[in-house]
Amino acid sequence: MTDADNDFRIAVVGMACRLPDADTIGDYWRNLCDGHESIRPLRTAAMPVDPPYGYVHAGSTLADHDKFDAEFFEMSPREAQFLDPQHRLFLLCAYEAFEDAGIVPVDNPNPVGVFAGAGISTYLLRNLIGHAATFDSPSAQLHALHGNASDYLATRISYKLNLTGPSVSVQTACSTSLVAVHQAVQALVDFQCDVALAGGASVQVPHEAGYLYEEGSILSPDGHCRAFDASAAGTVFGSGAGAVVLKRLSDALADGDHIHAVILGSAINNDGGRKVGFTAPGIAGQRAVIREALSVAGIDAASIGYVEAHGTGTKLGDPIEVAALSAAYREHTEANQFCALGSVKTNLGHLNSAAGVAGLIKAVLTVREGQIPASLNFSRANPEIDFAASPFFVNTELRPFDAQVRRAAVSAFGIGGTNAHVIVEQPPTPAASVAKGPRALVISARTAEDADRLAQRLSAHLAETGQDLAAIARTLDKGRRRFPHRRLVVAETTAEAATAFGRPSAGQAFVDPAVVALFPGQGIALGSLFAELADAVPAFGDRLRECARLLREDSGFDLDAALLGGEGTEQTQVALFSIEYALAGMWRAFGVAPRELLGHSLGELVCATLAGVFELPEALRLVVGRGRIMAAAPPGAMLAVSVGAQDLIERLPEDVWLAADNSATRCVVAGTQAAVGRFAESLSQDGIAHSPLPVAHAFHTPLMDEAAARFAELVGTVARQAPREAFWSNLTGAPITAEQATDPDYWARQMTSTVRFREAAEELTRRHPELIGLEVGPGKSLMSFLRTASREVVAVASAGTATGGRPAATAIVEAAGRLWLHGLEIDLAAAHADTAHATVSLPTYPFALQRYWIDPPEAPRTRATPRSTAPLVAAETSSHLPAGSHLSVVPTDGVLDPDPATDPDSSLAADDADDFTEAIRGRVAEIWYEALGSDTIGAHANFFEVGGDSLMAVHVATRLRAVFPVQLVLGDLFARPTIAGMADVIAQDLINRLDDMSDSEVELLLGERGTTEESNEHA
């Protein structure tokens, strides 16, 4: 097969379903393999009190047909309630299918198409339509229409997920979702889009209700579907939804997508008028569509080992379907009973608009997993079907799919005659992964609870999978949308990751994270950590080796020797500078763009080099010279002291100076060896903690004066430029100026003066409320000083200390993960040194499902007392719903509204509002509550940020005009889109008109007329 051929082959890269007894693809496959039948007797309590003759109390139902995660999809509770459950269910499936595909649709710049269909809205017909007052305005009618008509199913997906390809709703009855798949395939082949979502949904309302059997109808007399069986007499309708994500095979292979199966060909047609009746199946049409699909696929029918049939279990339909299949296959082969036949309707019932995609997903799983599930309820063939003389046999047990290349076909035939047929093949064998090393596995969610549930899902999944860890990490990083609440684990094996997700690191992303890169100075042991890191992390090693080359060519300096055990000031300073410069470049390659640069002593030279004051070759020459000059300075000692600078200065003896003011509780002193030794003894006597630094000179003291003068001369010999980015001065504790940065005397004074790190750190924490301190070098001392300035600072060490036994690469990956945890966009693939880009299927987002439902005004009597439901918040004041109607929604958690106890502006009873305006506010609030379905909306919450839209605004403006005698225009609501703002507009208009109103009119306005119930009557 050539690359051009792959453009006409379509990869199934994502799948999701919400089916009876199966909320995931994994559940669905287990049920199929177990021979599980989801059609079952319904609860006795749901049976009618007086069931009519022929009533069958059986069905195939969904556990959460009435639930949805409205907040996740940014819908108000009222919008969710008025949205058909078919639309809700398919929106959930669409999001999950994209996650399964490792595609973040809202961030995808390429056109993504949507092709989907749903059945007629029985929710509208059975539940909503009885609340006639709900639709008393054109805007309310349009809102209900948009939420329930199948015309808007595809476009709602495109809107909610920001998809810009063709968006087409499909309506061909039972074949709807398979026709949608065909249309998606054609759109991809024609390059109308680069990714396509296809599928369908069907939800019956009332949901838990039986049906009346009529002899000769499509419905089963006993609550079972017996496809192709002699006793077959009909099907049972069920509810469900499914979606698949498709890409051109060439693109999927190039992108490293996890491919479930490959669509070789598809076709659709219509029976036309040459059949018994409109609802009857047509053998000629079915045969033709199968032949066309085989022709498009370019394969021999004899290579197909399984057919997922339409298989409704009717006496007329089953024989016609087998006859059409046989006629098409006989054009390719005379072999008998080589191809297994089955129907998922025996498991789930007939899912109407979702039937085709349910069959397709089963066929995809069959060729992917290499097993053919049993078709249920078959014992003896329909006498009108001669299987022995056909290419087919009904598969009645789970069996291996033995074939050199596994291929399967799927049929869906709609009432009205639109037929669809799709042929799939097993996925290409993925290349074996050779990636090794630690991986940061990252997840995020809208809430902390969702994040914890997702971590537990992953822990359970990873404990049972052999998936490649690198592909898992890549999928979680690139194939998931970013949310504020984040979790992180670092692992080297999938088993380690499974355990670690039991207790992951937790964090919340900053809104505006500001990174300050911290560059330490001399005084920290290097060990062998960074030599190991150079081999393990190319982004670091390449830059370190560049420094080594320049040093060797310019100064004859052996950096490798210095890294592996060099001693003395000259060796240590050059090694430290090179390490920090290489680490800084590494972090920039990983996507970290520091907002600020703050160095300590030698670290300030690294900042100057990164900022462009010195070019790297000249900077290395300066550092070599600086080290040699300082090594020749008089001997001295340095001492870290755990006390603040003010207290310490008062205690300093002669020949001991304050070398560094690091934090409010940590300083460094330096001087002659004898003087520092005596001072250390006095500190011990006073119980003040201290520790010597591993240096042989007194840096940042007058003992460096001669060395500083020589260094100034050296700085004067190299080119200097004004800094391209800001960094902080050790000399002043403030951002450096261009004059200072380019002045050789500045760099001399910097060697002899106190390092004012504390002042810089305190100012940084004032400037940046969401500050992240990244230590770009060995140790953790600078980030500790920064956190002393503010405990709100997030501190991250690049590599920590040289001890601890951790692999060098692990430290970098952990640091990258911690930066991601707090909101930085890190290129984790670069941090992992990944060159491959394979993805895998992983658990999808754990939606927080809540009940959003409107019951019919009078539910039919059953043998059980109707379950009480939580009334809609605001239902007591709403005039749009008749007394006694039940609307159910779990109230929101307050996200839409600041806490009145802590935010006085959020209270409707604001202190500065007079009684008149307060009365207006209360009535405006009632209308808002009714429109949005929530009474937790603050007086200053923006209407359009809490779930309102332009059409809903029209409805609200209409209601406001019905309640208040004002000439309110829609623009007023757009200009002042809060309860308080609207109340002020209305109050001001009324106050201006009070002189023209009679006393009775004023009294009526302030009294009973303002309630929404009575305003309806007056309207």
Side-chain angles (χ1 to χ4, degrees), residues 355-368:
V357 73
L360 175 69
I361 293 173
K362 178 186 173 183
V364 166
L365 293 170
T366 297
V367 297
R368 188 189 78 182

Side-chain angles (χ1 to χ4, degrees), residues 68-442:
F68 187 58
D69 191 340
E71 291 185 15
F72 183 91
F73 291 104
E74 299 178 344
M75 294 186 189
S76 69
R78 179 55 58 85
E79 183 181 2
Q81 286 175 324
F82 277 81
L83 186 62
D84 187 292
Q86 298 177 118
H87 290 231
R88 301 185 217 162
L89 206 62
F90 192 70
L91 184 52
L92 295 175
C93 281
Y95 193 91
E96 291 168 335
F98 279 118
E99 283 209 331
D100 184 60
I103 295 172
V104 184
V106 294
D107 297 333
N108 192 334
N110 299 320
V112 178
V114 181
F115 302 87
I120 189 171
S121 178
T122 51
Y123 181 62
L124 174 66
L125 296 177
R126 298 295 185 88
N127 287 32
L128 300 184
I129 206 72
H131 301 287
T134 306
F135 312 110
D136 63 349
S137 70
S139 58
Q141 293 164 8
L142 281 174
H143 215 272
L145 179 67
H146 294 166
N148 289 271
S150 58
D151 308 53
Y152 307 103
L153 177 68
T155 49
R156 174 169 281 101
I157 300 295
S158 296
Y159 171 68
K160 285 296 181 182
L161 302 186
N162 190 34
L163 311 179
T164 59
S167 191
V168 181
S169 290
V170 182
Q171 206 71 49
T172 62
C174 318
S175 60
T176 292
S177 52
L178 202 61
V179 170
V181 169
H182 170 78
Q183 290 189 320
V185 167
Q186 293 304 117
L188 288 165
V189 169
D190 292 342
F191 288 83
Q192 298 173 26
C193 55
D194 294 326
V195 180
L197 176 83
S202 179
V203 177
Q204 297 186 89
V205 178
H207 196 63
E208 194 171 14
Y211 59 89
L212 284 177
Y213 166 71
E214 296 175 319
E215 187 174 357
S217 75
I218 192 174
L219 296 174
S220 167
D222 61 357
H224 295 284
C225 178
R226 307 177 187 278
F228 311 114
D229 193 79
S231 58
T235 192
V236 178
F237 282 100
S239 298
V244 294
V245 176
L246 310 178
K247 293 176 73 172
R248 288 180 289 273
L249 179 59
S250 55
D251 292 343
L253 291 171
D255 294 341
D257 292 323
H258 175 63
I259 300 174
H260 296 285
V262 177
I263 296 177
L264 301 179
S266 66
I268 61 172
N269 70 2
N270 192 274
D271 292 332
R274 300 178 64 181
K275 57 181 182 178
V276 174
F278 177 72
T279 62
I283 187 171
Q286 292 182 20
R287 175 189 176 187
V289 80
I290 296 165
R291 292 178 63 193
E292 184 178 352
L294 285 166
S295 176
V296 171
I299 62 170
D300 192 312
S303 68
I304 296 175
Y306 176 67
V307 171
E308 174 61 27
H310 187 61
T312 56
T314 61
K315 290 186 179 297
L316 176 64
D318 288 354
I320 287 177
E321 179 170 10
V322 175
L325 276 165
S326 297
Y329 276 45
R330 283 299 183 225
E331 296 180 12
H332 294 254
T333 178
E334 292 299 321
N336 291 331
Q337 295 195 299
F338 65 87
C339 183
L341 187 68
S343 171
V344 76
K345 292 178 180 65
T346 62
N347 302 85
L348 304 177
H350 194 329
L351 302 188
N352 205 326
S353 299
V357 73
L360 175 69
I361 293 173
K362 178 186 173 183
V364 166
L365 293 170
T366 297
V367 297
R368 188 189 78 182
E369 299 298 325
Q371 290 184 295
I372 304 176
S375 191
L376 307 183
N377 304 321
F378 181 87
S379 58
R380 186 167 55 92
N382 185 317
E384 299 298 320
I385 304 174
D386 186 2
F387 279 115
S390 79
F392 306 101
F393 67 92
V394 177
N395 185 57
T396 57
E397 61 182 3
L398 181 66
R399 70 173 64 226
F401 198 148
D402 294 324
Q404 186 173 359
V405 178
R406 297 186 296 272
R407 289 172 177 163
V410 192
S411 291
F413 308 131
I415 288 180
T418 296
N419 308 304
H421 194 73
V422 176
I423 299 170
V424 297
E425 181 179 279
Q426 69 185 67
T429 302
S433 173
V434 295
K436 303 293 182 185
R439 294 293 186 275
L441 278 67
V442 296

Side-chain angles (χ1 to χ4, degrees), residues 11 17 253 302 461 563 753 859:
C17 66
L253 291 171
H461 171 80
L563 289 171
S753 302

Side-chain angles (χ1 to χ4, degrees), residues 316-666:
L316 176 64
D318 288 354
I320 287 177
E321 179 170 10
V322 175
L325 276 165
S326 297
Y329 276 45
R330 283 299 183 225
E331 296 180 12
H332 294 254
T333 178
E334 292 299 321
N336 291 331
Q337 295 195 299
F338 65 87
C339 183
L341 187 68
S343 171
V344 76
K345 292 178 180 65
T346 62
N347 302 85
L348 304 177
H350 194 329
L351 302 188
N352 205 326
S353 299
V357 73
L360 175 69
I361 293 173
K362 178 186 173 183
V364 166
L365 293 170
T366 297
V367 297
R368 188 189 78 182
E369 299 298 325
Q371 290 184 295
I372 304 176
S375 191
L376 307 183
N377 304 321
F378 181 87
S379 58
R380 186 167 55 92
N382 185 317
E384 299 298 320
I385 304 174
D386 186 2
F387 279 115
S390 79
F392 306 101
F393 67 92
V394 177
N395 185 57
T396 57
E397 61 182 3
L398 181 66
R399 70 173 64 226
F401 198 148
D402 294 324
Q404 186 173 359
V405 178
R406 297 186 296 272
R407 289 172 177 163
V410 192
S411 291
F413 308 131
I415 288 180
T418 296
N419 308 304
H421 194 73
V422 176
I423 299 170
V424 297
E425 181 179 279
Q426 69 185 67
T429 302
S433 173
V434 295
K436 303 293 182 185
R439 294 293 186 275
L441 278 67
V442 296
I443 60 175
S444 66
R446 196 180 55 83
T447 67
E449 294 77 13
D450 288 356
D452 290 337
R453 286 201 305 275
L454 181 54
Q456 294 307 310
R457 280 190 181 185
L458 273 167
S459 179
H461 171 80
L462 297 180
E464 299 179 353
T465 184
Q467 290 173 328
D468 173 55
L469 183 68
I472 294 168
R474 196 175 304 112
T475 303
L476 293 175
D477 175 32
K478 301 296 185 183
R480 296 294 185 268
R481 181 180 167 189
R482 300 285 197 257
F483 292 101
H485 295 273
R486 301 187 169 190
R487 302 293 182 265
L488 161 74
V489 304
V490 175
E492 292 202 41
T493 68
T494 302
E496 281 182 16
T499 302
F501 267 121
R503 296 188 65 182
S505 299
Q508 186 166 352
F510 288 149
V511 175
D512 182 29
V515 174
V516 53
L518 305 170
F519 299 89
Q522 192 176 345
I524 302 170
L526 300 181
S528 61
L529 176 68
F530 295 98
E532 297 172 11
L533 189 64
D535 293 330
V537 181
F540 172 75
D542 291 347
R543 290 166 174 80
L544 193 66
R545 285 185 283 273
E546 175 66 7
C547 290
R549 182 186 66 81
L550 292 169
L551 286 165
R552 186 170 54 252
E553 293 175 355
D554 184 75
S555 308
F557 188 92
D558 188 348
L559 180 59
D560 293 335
L563 289 171
L564 293 172
E567 296 181 357
T569 297
E570 178 185 354
Q571 296 278 307
T572 302
Q573 288 200 12
V574 176
L576 185 61
F577 177 94
S578 301
I579 287 168
E580 293 181 7
Y581 178 85
L583 282 174
M586 177 198 75
W587 283 119
R588 289 177 188 253
F590 293 172
V592 179
R595 197 87 59 90
E596 308 278 3
L597 302 175
L598 173 59
H600 192 289
S601 188
L602 175 68
E604 189 175 352
L605 267 174
V606 182
C607 293
T609 305
L610 295 170
V613 176
F614 308 111
E615 294 299 323
L616 179 60
E618 286 76 16
L620 289 169
R621 191 177 307 132
L622 289 177
V623 174
V624 171
R626 186 179 189 266
R628 289 171 178 168
I629 291 169
M630 296 179 81
M638 302 186 79
L639 192 70
V641 185
S642 297
V643 69
Q646 192 62 44
D647 294 336
L648 188 59
I649 289 172
E650 297 173 358
R651 308 175 64 98
L652 291 179
E654 186 178 357
D655 291 338
V656 177
W657 295 271
L658 179 65
D661 179 6
N662 290 328
S663 75
T665 59
R666 296 282 289 177

Side-chain angles (χ1 to χ4, degrees), residues 887-963:
L887 295 85
S888 179
V889 62
V890 178
T892 59
D893 59 6
V895 172
L896 304 181
D897 182 29
D899 184 353
T902 59
D903 184 358
D905 288 341
S906 71
S907 172
L908 295 182
D911 294 338
D912 59 351
D914 57 31
D915 290 344
F916 181 73
T917 303
E918 183 57 33
I920 301 297
R921 274 196 194 184
R923 293 168 193 165
V924 171
E926 290 176 5
I927 293 170
W928 279 46
Y929 296 162
E930 175 268 319
L932 295 168
S934 173
D935 62 357
T936 61
I937 301 166
H940 300 279
N942 188 299
F943 178 82
F944 300 101
E945 293 177 359
V946 295
D949 57 29
S950 57
L951 192 58
M952 201 178 294
V954 173
H955 173 71
V956 167
T958 301
R959 298 290 304 127
L960 290 171
R961 287 192 294 268
V963 172

